[in-house]
Amino acid sequence: VTADAERGAVAPEGMQAAIDVAVASFGKDQNARAFARPSGTEDVVRVYAEGRTSDIADALALAVARVVHAHAGGWGTNRRQP
């Protein structure tokens, strides 16, 4: 469940706070921002991430995907950094 034009998760509880921590861990100088939202057409959650470089955006997307996996009952193994 999302709010703020689908940029903030209100459920499951604690997930948005964990996403905020993941984003903050990249520091303000990296222009990092991210959000996760459920797909309207598939049984998946989409993760969106931006950063100063594509490497930062990729690392942030992976960090947020891990948060979603942990909080939203993800199935399968948690993806590792390539």
Side-chain angles (χ1 to χ4, degrees), residues 7-73:
R7 291 184 300 247
V10 294
E13 187 175 334
M15 187 171 79
Q16 185 60 53
I19 291 171
D20 293 343
V21 168
V23 171
S25 73
F26 283 80
K28 290 190 183 262
D29 63 329
Q30 302 304 322
N31 297 332
R33 67 183 192 154
F35 64 94
R37 62 176 287 279
S39 170
T41 58
E42 300 173 272
D43 190 21
V44 297
V45 175
R46 303 200 188 284
V47 173
Y48 299 85
E50 296 178 355
R52 187 173 52 79
T53 67
S54 60
D55 287 341
I56 291 168
D58 289 346
L60 178 57
L62 181 58
V64 172
R66 287 178 174 156
V67 167
V68 171
H69 187 273
H71 283 81

